């Protein structure tokens, strides 16, 4: 099951992007992921999770939580942004935008760190798959 942050926002109703709203959104998605996991689903949650404490809280809910830090410089995020949100945030058209006008707390000890300037998407996918296989073989 893929839980996309934007799609969950569309289902759960509009929420803001301030610290409290982001933490609540991440926790809501984490609880849904834990529920689906308990029912036997493999869940991938694709979220912007800017707060370490919120990520750790979600980790505590799930049995098989893997934190993947997609480490990308701000300039590259701006270049790759298909929606133009970074440009709008840089022009102060979007308030509380993670990494621009709102903080991003990089993961302290992620399970997997992917530097997108050094690793292709194919290699990153291989790393993730190998990590999952190793984790599942150990259980």
């Amino acid at each position: 099951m893929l839980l996309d942050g934007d799609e969950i926002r569309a289902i759960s109703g509009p929420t803001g992007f301030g610290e409290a709203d982001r933490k609540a959104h991440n926790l809501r998605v984490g609880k849904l992921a834990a529920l689906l996991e308990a029912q036997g689903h493999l869940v991938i949650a694709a979220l912007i999770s800017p707060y370490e404490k919120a990520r750790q809280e979600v980790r505590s809910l799930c049995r098989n939580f893997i934190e993947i830090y997609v480490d990308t410089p701000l300039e590259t995020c701006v270049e790759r942004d298909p929606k133009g949100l970074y440009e709008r945030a840089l022009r102060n058209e979007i308030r509380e935008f993670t990494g621009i006008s709102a903080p991003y707390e990089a993961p302290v000890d992620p399970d997997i760190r992917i530097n997108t300037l050094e690793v292709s998407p194919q290699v990153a996918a291989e790393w993730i798959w190998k990590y999952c296989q190793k984790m599942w073989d150990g259980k």
Side-chain angles (χ1 to χ4, degrees), residues 96-127:
E96 301 186 89
F97 195 84
T98 300
I100 305 277
S101 53
Y104 178 77
E105 299 171 1
V108 175
D109 189 24
D111 298 300
I112 301 172
R113 179 185 168 271
I114 299 168
N115 182 322
T116 63
L117 297 181
E118 299 172 357
V119 177
S120 71
Q122 295 78 12
V123 169
E126 288 175 22
W127 287 358

Side-chain angles (χ1 to χ4, degrees), residues 82-96:
K83 298 178 184 177
L85 297 176
Y86 280 94
E87 289 289 347
R88 289 182 55 210
L90 289 167
R91 291 191 305 264
N92 294 319
E93 294 174 11
I94 302 175
R95 295 182 46 183
E96 301 186 89

Side-chain angles (χ1 to χ4, degrees), residues 23-39 43 53-66:
K23 286 179 177 178
H25 176 67
N26 280 233
L27 184 57
R28 186 179 310 115
V29 175
K31 288 179 178 179
L32 178 57
L35 175 67
L36 291 168
E37 178 190 40
Q39 295 174 1
V43 181
K53 184 176 179 184
R55 291 191 298 266
Q56 293 308 317
E57 189 171 352
V58 171
R59 179 184 289 274
S60 73
L61 298 173
C62 301
R63 289 188 320 257
N64 297 300
F65 184 96
I66 302 171

Side-chain angles (χ1 to χ4, degrees), residues 66-82:
I66 302 171
E67 182 176 29
I68 302 171
Y69 174 27
V70 182
D71 185 1
T72 306
L74 177 60
E75 303 79 34
T76 305
C77 291
V78 173
E79 290 171 11
R80 294 178 180 172
D81 179 17

